[in-house]
Amino acid sequence: MAIEKVGVVGCGLMGSGIAQVAANAGCQVTVREVSPQLVEKGLQSIDKNLQRLVDKGTLPQAERDKVRGRLRGTTNLEDLKDCDLVIEAIIEQLPAKRELWNALDKICPKTTIFASNTSSLSITEMATFTQRPDRFLGLHFFNPVPVMKLVEVIRTIATDPKVNEEVVAFALRLGKTPVRTTDRTGFIVNRLLVPYLLDAVRALEEGVGSVEDIDNSMKLGCGHPMGPLALLDFVGNDTTFYIANIMFDEFKEKRFASPPLLKRMVLSGWNGRKAGRGFYDYSDPAKPKPMQMT
Ligand code: 3HC
C-alpha cells in the first residue's frame, strides 16, 4: 500500500517540518493542532520556510503553490480518518499521547499506520494504547526537519516487518535517509548524542575550557556544524535534560546522568535559543554571547 494521505498531529517545530517535507514529496497532508491559533502559527512557519526556498531559487513559485495546496490545517481529529499514515509530534508526555492514540485508534481504519516522532518515550508502550501494535512504530526526525537528512525508523517486537518496510519506503520518498533501529530509549542518535552533550557540560563545569573554546574545539577539530553547547541551546536544554532523565531511568548508567549545571540552567529557564538565553545570550540573535563561568 502506498502512503498518499498523511496526518500530522502537532504543528510545532517538528510537526510543521514533517508536514512540509511530506507535502513537498507529493502527499496530501492534514495537520492537526489543538487551537485555530496554533494551526495558524504552524502553517505560517511552513509558509516562511517555503518562501525561504523560493527566495533562494531552489523552489519555483508554482511548485510552492502546489506544495501549499496539499497542506491543510484542522483542530478536528476526525479529519484524519482517511489517512494512510498518522505521525504524532505532540508534547513528550505519556498521558497526552495515551489520550491521543486512544482517540485515533477509534477514528482511523485498521489499515492506517501509526507512527510517533518521540525522541525518548517507549514506542512499545505507546503501541499498547491502540488495538494495532502490528501497525505502530517510531519515525524520528531531526531538527531542522527540512534540512536534516536522517530519519530513524523504530520497530517494536510487535511491528509487522512489512509495515516497517512501507515506512522505510515513505522516508526515502521524503528524500530522507532512513535507518532501521529497535525500541531502546534514545534509539541510535540520542544514545550517542546525549552522553556527548552531557560531557560537554561536565567539561564546562570542570573548567576544562570556556563555552566558546569547547564549541570551537568540536567545530574546528572534528568538523561538526555546531559545537555541543550551541547544539544544546538549539535543541533546548530542557529537552535534552528531559531525554537524559528518561535514558538514565531506563539504563541506570552514569553517562546518561544530567550534570548539576544543566539542571540549574533548566531550573532558571535558560533553555537555549527559544528562551533567548542558554549557554549563549541571544539578545542579539546575530551575535550570540557565550556564558562566562565565574
Ligand atoms: N528550517 C529550514 N531550513 C533551515 C533552517 C530551518 N530551521 N535552518 C537553516 N536552514 C537551511 C538554510 O536555509 C540553509 O540552506 P542552504 O544551504 O540551501 O542555503 C542551510 O539550512 C544552512 O543554514 P545556514 O547557512 O543559515 O546556517 P548553518 O550553515 O549554520 O546551518 C544548521 C544551520 C543546518 C542548523 C546547522 O548548523 C546544523 O546542521 N546544525 C546541527 C543540527 C543538528 O545536529 N540537529 C539534530 C539535533 S538532535 C535532534 O533533533 C533529535 C532530538 O531528539 C533531540
Side-chain angles (χ1 to χ4, degrees):
M1 187 188 82
I3 294 169
E4 294 301 335
K5 289 189 179 163
V6 177
V8 178
V9 188
C11 200
L13 193 65
M14 299 304 283
S16 62
I18 296 168
Q20 181 188 326
V21 294
N24 193 48
C27 299
Q28 293 295 330
V29 182
T30 306
V31 285
R32 189 265 189 175
E33 257 298 352
V34 287
S35 70
Q37 291 78 5
L38 288 175
V39 171
E40 198 45 40
K41 193 173 167 211
L43 291 175
Q44 273 172 9
S45 130
I46 296 173
D47 284 337
K48 208 170 121 196
N49 266 338
L50 291 174
Q51 194 53 45
R52 178 161 36 178
L53 298 175
V54 173
D55 294 344
K56 271 196 312 208
T58 48
L59 183 73
Q61 178 74 41
E63 192 52 37
R64 188 215 85 102
D65 295 343
K66 279 194 206 157
V67 173
R68 196 57 184 81
R70 289 193 284 267
L71 273 161
R72 74 183 175 123
T74 183
T75 54
N76 188 359
L77 217 47
E78 298 275 342
D79 288 341
L80 305 185
K81 67 175 181 300
D82 59 353
C83 288
D84 304 314
L85 168 70
V86 175
I87 305 169
E88 166 271 313
I90 67 165
I91 186 167
E92 288 281 76
Q93 286 175 4
L94 215 47
K97 306 234 191 218
R98 180 186 292 118
E99 194 183 319
L100 176 72
W101 288 124
N102 278 168
L104 282 169
D105 199 37
K106 293 185 185 87
I107 291 168
C108 298
K110 287 200 162 28
T111 48
T112 305
I113 298 170
F114 286 169
S116 174
N117 178 58
T118 185
S119 51
S120 51
L121 298 172
S122 165
I123 307 295
T124 309
E125 188 167 3
M126 268 185 261
T128 66
F129 305 152
T130 73
Q131 299 298 314
R132 63 185 85 196
D134 55 327
R135 301 187 76 72
F136 200 110
L137 36 59
L139 192 57
H140 185 213
F141 291 82
F142 295 84
N143 181 24
V145 178
V147 180
M148 305 312 281
K149 288 283 174 214
L150 190 78
V151 176
E152 292 178 314
V153 181
I154 304 122
R155 64 185 180 278
T156 72
I157 50 172
T159 308
D160 180 341
K162 280 196 224 118
V163 170
N164 202 58
E165 292 316 302
E166 275 178 60
V167 174
V168 165
F170 171 73
L172 286 168
R173 181 176 168 193
L174 300 190
K176 302 294 182 195
T177 299
V179 288
R180 296 170 180 81
T181 184
T182 53
D183 184 28
R184 290 289 176 277
T185 305
F187 318 127
I188 297 175
V189 171
N190 280 332
R191 186 176 186 129
L192 301 176
L193 179 65
V194 169
Y196 158 69
L197 296 179
L198 299 179
D199 254 346
V201 182
R202 285 184 198 109
L204 180 68
E205 266 183 327
E206 289 166 20
V208 175
S210 66
V211 168
E212 231 171 352
D213 286 347
I214 290 172
D215 274 353
N216 275 336
S217 299
M218 296 312 289
K219 268 171 73 177
L220 307 178
C222 297
H224 290 195
M226 280 177 176
L229 301 170
L231 184 55
L232 272 159
D233 278 357
F234 183 69
V235 168
N237 291 325
D238 50 343
T239 305
T240 302
F241 179 66
Y242 181 79
I243 297 173
N245 286 343
I246 293 182
M247 294 181 80
F248 184 74
D249 194 45
E250 169 103 346
F251 299 113
K252 309 282 186 289
E253 286 178 31
K254 226 169 137 183
R255 64 195 168 120
F256 300 115
S258 271
L261 175 61
L262 185 63
K263 182 174 174 183
R264 274 139 190 86
M265 290 184 68
V266 174
L267 285 172
S268 307
W270 294 12
N271 288 328
R273 276 197 202 189
K274 64 186 171 190
R277 185 163 195 177
F279 291 99
Y280 292 81
D281 180 332
Y282 298 90
S283 308
D284 176 0
K287 275 197 190 146
K289 270 205 299 281
M291 178 170 113
Q292 301 301 322
M293 294 293 284
T294 47

